[in-house]
Amino acid sequence: MFKTDDIVKIMNFISEKNFSDLKAILKDMNIVHISDLIEELPTVEALIVFRLLSKDIAVDVFYYLDKDYQQKIIEKITDEETQYLLKESHFDDMVDLIEEMPAAVVKKVIKNTDENRRNMINKFLNYPDFSAGSIMTLEYVSLKEGMTVEHSIEHIKKVAKDVETIYTAYVLNSYRKLVGIISLRNLLIADEKEFVKNIMTETDIISCKTLDDQEDIARKFRKYDLNTIPVVDNEGLMTGVITVDDIIDVIEEENTEDFEKMAAIEPLNDDYLNTKTFTLARKRITWLIILMVSASLTELVIGRSKEVLESVAILASFIPMLMDTGGNSGSQASTLIIRGLALDEIKFQDIFKVIFKEFKVSLIVASALSFLNFLRIYFISGVDIRIAFLVGITLFLTVVISKIIGAILPMFAQKLKLDPAIMAAPLITTIVDTTALLVYFGFAKLILNI
């Protein structure tokens, strides 16, 4: 975020047409800071600043801009400027741009790309959303088995400007099948006359297929500490690579989506401030209606037990505490299990281990909470010992049941090919509330002889 004085200074340079001094300032600025500056300026001034940048810097700055500003720039610059911008762009960045732009902007982008790139773009856009094919790049270093180390290094120097990463090279046979990988480091320390096929890694190559889900790929990056991963088709032919910066974007998107689902909100397609009020309301209201209707179960349980409440009115005062504690207990368990599933630390076959562990945890937690509540209700509030015991035993069972429910529901959701995040706090709380009331009124009738 730029200070107001800095923005005023830049605006003065522009109004005075002092472009030489402004260009000198921009030359010494970091590309991220330049993109931040452009987003702070009005459209006309932002376009002037963008055009003052050297061509190479302009390309890098462009892809750091928010998509709204990218759209404004594409709409305003000439076809010639657009052609250079797209020609120097990495292919995966260009595909991301096209996927997020309105039709008029996409038309201008497509118009200013060569036929080969247009064909590749159409191929990419046909890959399913959230698949490896949709996020991979075609710009990677490939070597042939029969190349020497000397020739390989010369080849890398030639293509370095056009590829996204040079630190890992992929060795292909004459049919473009992936047969090995080799790092730039190993190439540099190897004998120049040595053949690539003799020093490449041929076994344990971690790869993915074009239709693999991007979440599964993110897990591979984390598990094997990768910087890139090769993408192959069903025949093992090299198709592209996915780089760590693309996976970071995937992780951010998936985490955001999980947070939204855990809060019972349909995932947003845009930033919060750029999303219309009606859209925000629509994204929330569906789940609120579902939860409201499901919460009527607690109303039904209370309605059928009104004779218990009428007989011992003080019982009603403990209902909020029982329901809240049960909901919190279930939410704690579900949060840990959802995280474990997301990180691939827990699988469905571990369900009995999870139940047993949560059962042991719940016994400790439930014993402490119920004992403290018994002391509070009986000795401090001076309530009848039978009611204190009733609340204590209900709280104990509620916590135990809540933690087990909170643990197993996300696991069943994943087994049914649903996102475990939907089984988070709001839904679990609704289920636990009903369970707590059934236990409470059931024991009330038994202990108080109502």
Side-chain angles (χ1 to χ4, degrees):
M1 180 69 71
F2 277 79
K3 296 179 181 178
T4 304
D5 291 344
D6 295 329
I7 298 297
V8 171
K9 184 179 178 181
I10 297 296
M11 294 287 285
N12 287 337
F13 277 129
I14 295 172
S15 63
E16 295 167 4
K17 294 185 169 43
N18 189 358
F19 298 134
S20 57
D21 287 346
L22 178 54
K23 196 169 184 178
I25 292 173
L26 294 172
K27 185 178 180 181
D28 295 330
M29 287 177 63
N30 181 283
I31 57 174
V32 177
H33 294 160
I34 297 174
S35 66
D36 290 340
L37 169 64
I38 289 174
E39 291 181 358
E40 294 284 342
L41 295 171
T43 303
V44 174
E45 286 75 9
L47 190 60
I48 291 172
V49 169
F50 184 77
R51 280 178 162 152
L52 287 174
L53 301 173
S54 66
K55 289 184 176 181
D56 291 341
I57 296 298
V59 173
D60 291 333
V61 168
F62 179 80
Y63 285 101
Y64 274 102
L65 293 172
D66 182 84
K67 67 179 183 180
D68 290 336
Y69 287 87
Q70 290 179 339
Q71 179 181 334
K72 289 176 183 177
I73 287 174
I74 289 288
E75 288 173 341
K76 298 294 183 182
I77 61 178
T78 65
D79 284 350
E80 183 180 353
E81 289 171 318
T82 304
Q83 287 170 12
Y84 183 86
L85 185 66
L86 298 173
K87 181 182 177 183
E88 298 301 315
S89 300
H90 289 301
F91 186 77
D92 57 334
D93 290 331
M94 188 166 62
V95 171
D96 290 341
L97 173 70
I98 290 172
E99 288 180 326
E100 296 179 347
M101 292 294 115
V105 178
V106 171
K107 185 176 180 181
K108 184 174 182 180
V109 170
I110 297 294
K111 171 188 169 186
N112 288 286
T113 54
D114 59 58
E115 185 177 355
N116 183 43
R117 279 206 160 190
R118 279 201 295 272
N119 292 334
M120 290 193 294
I121 288 170
N122 289 331
K123 182 180 178 181
F124 264 71
L125 296 180
N126 285 328
Y127 283 116
D129 291 340
F130 314 118
S131 68
S134 68
I135 59 172
M136 70 181 180
T137 178
L138 303 179
E139 295 152 334
Y140 59 90
V141 177
S142 64
L143 304 175
K144 296 177 181 179
E145 307 179 85
M147 293 174 72
T148 63
V149 169
E150 182 181 12
H151 290 152
S152 297
I153 293 175
E154 288 177 0
H155 174 70
I156 291 173
K157 287 179 179 179
K158 288 178 182 178
V159 301
K161 186 177 182 296
D162 299 320
V163 298
E164 196 155 340
T165 177
I166 63 171
Y167 303 112
T168 302
Y170 299 92
V171 186
L172 312 179
N173 64 16
S174 57
Y175 299 101
R176 293 197 60 76
K177 186 172 183 179
L178 178 64
V179 294
I181 61 173
I182 187 167
S183 67
L184 180 60
R185 179 179 181 274
N186 288 341
L187 279 172
L188 292 175
I189 63 177
D191 187 283
E192 289 186 344
K193 304 303 180 186
E194 186 64 85
F195 288 102
V196 168
K197 64 182 179 182
N198 295 330
I199 58 174
M200 68 184 185
T201 300
E202 299 178 71
T203 57
D204 297 326
I205 299 175
I206 309 302
S207 64
C208 63
K209 293 187 176 180
T210 51
L211 298 182
D212 285 354
D213 187 89
Q214 60 184 23
E215 282 192 76
D216 296 332
I217 299 165
R219 293 190 189 100
K220 285 187 177 181
F221 266 83
R222 182 179 58 251
K223 182 176 181 179
Y224 298 104
D225 195 23
L226 302 173
N227 289 318
T228 61
I229 189 170
V231 184
V232 298
D233 62 16
N234 290 330
E235 284 75 43
L237 303 181
M238 188 78 176
T239 306
V241 299
I242 297 173
T243 56
V244 69
D245 59 321
D246 294 318
I247 285 300
I248 290 173
D249 292 339
V250 168
I251 293 171
E252 181 181 351
E253 290 169 6
E254 297 294 343
N255 287 344
T256 300
E257 184 177 315
D258 284 347
F259 277 126
E260 290 167 340
K261 288 181 177 178
M262 290 173 73
I265 301 172
E266 290 182 36
L268 300 176
N269 298 322
D270 207 343
D271 296 337
Y272 174 83
L273 293 176
N274 292 328
T275 304
K276 295 179 180 178
T277 303
F278 180 79
T279 303
L280 286 172
R282 180 174 55 80
K283 292 285 186 179
R284 300 179 191 184
I285 198 168
T286 303
W287 267 106
L288 288 175
I289 292 172
I290 292 171
L291 293 173
M292 181 182 69
V293 172
S294 61
S296 63
L297 292 173
T298 61
E299 180 185 339
L300 182 63
V301 173
I302 293 174
R304 290 188 173 182
S305 304
K306 63 181 181 179
E307 72 278 5
V308 176
L309 294 176
E310 289 171 353
S311 300
V312 188
I314 196 172
L315 292 179
S317 65
F318 299 112
I319 290 176
M321 181 272 295
L322 291 170
M323 293 171 69
D324 289 347
T325 305
N328 292 336
S329 299
S331 297
Q332 284 182 335
S334 68
T335 300
L336 291 176
I337 300 304
I338 290 169
R339 178 186 178 276
L341 292 170
L343 297 178
D344 212 23
E345 297 173 349
I346 300 173
K347 300 184 183 299
F348 186 78
Q349 52 263 40
D350 299 320
I351 188 167
F352 293 110
K353 293 180 182 178
V354 170
I355 291 173
F356 185 56
K357 183 177 284 289
E358 283 301 318
F359 179 69
K360 290 189 293 183
V361 171
S362 67
L363 289 180
I364 298 170
V365 173
S367 297
L369 292 175
S370 58
F371 179 68
L372 288 173
N373 259 287
F374 177 84
L375 295 180
R376 178 182 67 83
I377 295 170
Y378 181 64
F379 289 104
I380 298 177
S381 300
V383 177
D384 186 285
I385 191 170
R386 293 181 302 163
I387 294 177
F389 177 75
L390 165 64
V391 175
I393 192 67
T394 301
L395 184 61
F396 180 89
L397 292 173
T398 298
V399 170
V400 171
I401 294 170
S402 300
K403 287 199 172 293
I404 293 175
I405 289 175
I408 64 175
L409 281 183
M411 300 186 74
F412 276 111
Q414 188 183 61
K415 183 68 175 176
L416 296 172
K417 308 296 183 185
L418 300 174
D419 193 326
I422 65 174
M423 296 296 180
L427 187 57
I428 288 175
T429 299
T430 301
I431 296 171
V432 166
D433 287 350
T434 305
T435 305
L437 290 175
L438 288 171
V439 172
Y440 189 40
F441 292 127
F443 273 101
K445 292 176 181 178
L446 183 65
I447 295 172
L448 303 178
N449 296 317
I450 300 174

